[in-house]
Amino acid sequence: MPKQDTEAFTSHQSLKPLLTPQSVAVIGASRDPQSIGHRILEALLMGHFHGPVYPVNPKAKFVRCLRSYPSMADIPEPVDLAVVAVPRDAVLKVIDECVEAKTRSLVVITAGFAEVSSEGRALQKQMLQKLRKAGLRMVGPNCLGLLNASPTVSLNASFSPIFPPAGRVAMSSQSGALGLAILASAQSMGLGISQFVSVGNQVDVSTIDLLEYWEHDPETDVILLYVESFGEPRRFARLARRISRTKPIVALKSGRSGSGARAAGSHTAAMAASDVVVDALFHQTGIIRAESLEEMFGLAMTLSRQPLPKGRRVGIITNAGGPAILCADACEAEGLTNPEFSTATKQKLAETLPTTASVNNPVDMIASAQASQFRQCVECVLLSKEVDALIVIYIPVGMSALRDVQEAIRQGVSAARQAGAVDIPVLTIVMDASGNKNDHSPDSEFPCFLYPESPAKVLGRLADYVSWRSQPIGQFPEPDALRLQSARASVRALLQSEGAGWMSAASTRQLLSDMQFPLPAGGVARTASQAVALANRVGYPVAIKLASKQILHKTELGGVKLHIDSPKSVQTAFIAIEDQLRQKGLLDSMEGVIVQPMLSTGVEVLIGMTQDKLFGPLIAFGLGGIYVELLKDICFRITPLTDIDVQHMLRSIKGYPLLKGYRGHPPADLKALEALLLQLSLVVEAIPEIAELDFNPIMAMPPGAGCYIVDARIRLAYPSGETDTP
């Protein structure tokens, strides 16, 4: 068995006593109805847990008509799961008692640990040491608890009074308070749950552990995550990339605001806000990102009740024109299409509807539409197979009862599927002003939405997911280990000689040359005469650019001179740059000038990298030159990059038509750019001392002519934990 499969199997087995226990103890079970311990015991009993429940309370002989035990040692058999709801300072002692009693897993509800103080962090560290020594698995502390709604388990080991219906959606929340709201929403929407876990401080069991468990859980088809932070983002990414191939993962990530933006010394880092990293992670791993709780539940209902769409064509059937127009607009905004129906389909629809109805897409049956017409139109559109998904909108206007229409839709879908249209998802919208409830029962086949934009957003996300899942699995390039080792040795030597910070232009060029990055001819000249000699060797015309590790925006200071065609012009350009910096008081920042041949037929692009403190190297690609910060047409991805990743990076920017050739401008060498991105990914993975870099611009030449890094900045730093050269 491969190593990763063995690790996943071991993790899965270790969580079984936690998520599917045969017996449960409640430590801190109380007679006080307001206490957490009492509420947990109440939830276990009201949920009809399929196993013995043992209250643990040294001050009471009975709690809720159950015999109470003074301690875990007094329970007559080892317990699979102990739920701990005692004061913070008693928790470590309770863990010792559980270890002694051979308890197999814990849920610690108690708060007051690392989330509140340094003292709490110290206690939490001791807690982890005890767990590791004993091989005990634990959820928490500072959590809501967990649930398993499977009829064979029926476990509510939490202080939530809500026990959602059983289903095939597993959920994890990093917020206990939000967990209560999530469970309430799941119940009100009829979303069937397999398991729910509030992970709290994640001292032991984390979101990653739960993903590994749910990957192999036969009761789970869809995974929902509410995420505030990533403990091990690179491991999370590896795992999610694998699981998303077979089970959809829907994530709601908090903290999207720009307040986390960082100060930076490069174009790349300036645009790499924290949420950009999360978007890149989700895109690469196939995770479906929800923008709100409402959207997360809409996605979950659709994924658990309907097939995935095969494409982006959406049909709309309605009895009111306005909502259908809003829905169609939302579809277009989400990258979906509303194709015109064929003549045959229109004729079939016309046979069912009055002459005042519209048989285009959207199909407007008008307000007088009967339930039977909903059934006939739904069946007709599905059997046409001219759409990949169908949205049915119903506005109650007194002509047809809501339940009749819902049953008619069900019959229409059933008839179409029996006739072969089995792979087209159907979503409904009921805008009911009368106060009637939409059909949110757990056994309802069709997800039901209140507003016309909502199903369009859901289908847009699902179409993206289907597109991701249909791609071949990306391949990582084979590294040249010896060359990378030699390059890292060169970087360490530069750290010794120049220190941490931005490298000089000469050192940057030498390092890139050593690592065989594509550079144009030329070099760095410290004097006007050296610049002339370089230009003579390169051949005219040349470009003269300021060499400085302090100055980022060279054009604004007159530091770029193009189309220089003679030795005298080279001298003039050098002196002009010196004079400009002298006037600004910046002459000390000048290291010289870079002399290169003019490259005038290519497309200017940027490739950059910045080290994210959690995710590691983050690579950017976009249009380059002076437009990078103006247009911000940038795509980010987390390393390591696959061949599929780099193809998507090039094609995801709005400026991609320029790379393909636009209005007479020759196309760019896409293969060369892809190779450069893969090469950079290998280098920054192998050399953590490269903290930040910008290749801007890169001149992408016509196909077959390659690409050239025209300007480059590299910042070196000691890896985390190092302060100087070893």
Side-chain angles (χ1 to χ4, degrees), residues 395-411:
I395 310 296
V397 292
M399 302 299 292
S400 296
L402 172 59
R403 295 300 176 188
D404 291 341
V405 170
Q406 289 173 328
E407 175 60 19
I409 294 170
R410 189 195 65 76
Q411 291 175 1

Side-chain angles (χ1 to χ4, degrees), residues 10-11 97 119 164 215 300 367 384 406 649 662 684 701 722-723:
T10 302
S11 177
E97 293 174 357
E119 181 185 2
E215 178 184 14
S384 75
Q406 289 173 328
M649 289 183 78
Y662 188 74
V684 297
M701 308 305 286
E722 290 188 37
T723 56

Side-chain angles (χ1 to χ4, degrees), residues 83-110:
V83 185
V84 180
V86 300
R88 184 193 71 171
D89 293 341
V91 170
L92 294 183
K93 180 182 177 183
V94 165
I95 291 176
D96 289 336
E97 293 174 357
C98 288
V99 172
E100 187 69 24
K102 295 182 170 49
T103 306
R104 299 181 69 190
S105 63
L106 296 171
V107 171
V108 178
I109 305 293
T110 310

Side-chain angles (χ1 to χ4, degrees), residues 69-93:
Y69 296 86
S71 71
M72 291 296 292
D74 298 302
I75 297 176
E77 62 178 352
V79 173
D80 277 348
L81 172 64
V83 185
V84 180
V86 300
R88 184 193 71 171
D89 293 341
V91 170
L92 294 183
K93 180 182 177 183

Side-chain angles (χ1 to χ4, degrees), residues 149 334 355 384 405 556 563 654:
E334 295 298 327
T355 56
S384 75
V405 170
E556 295 175 6
H563 303 288
K654 295 176 183 177

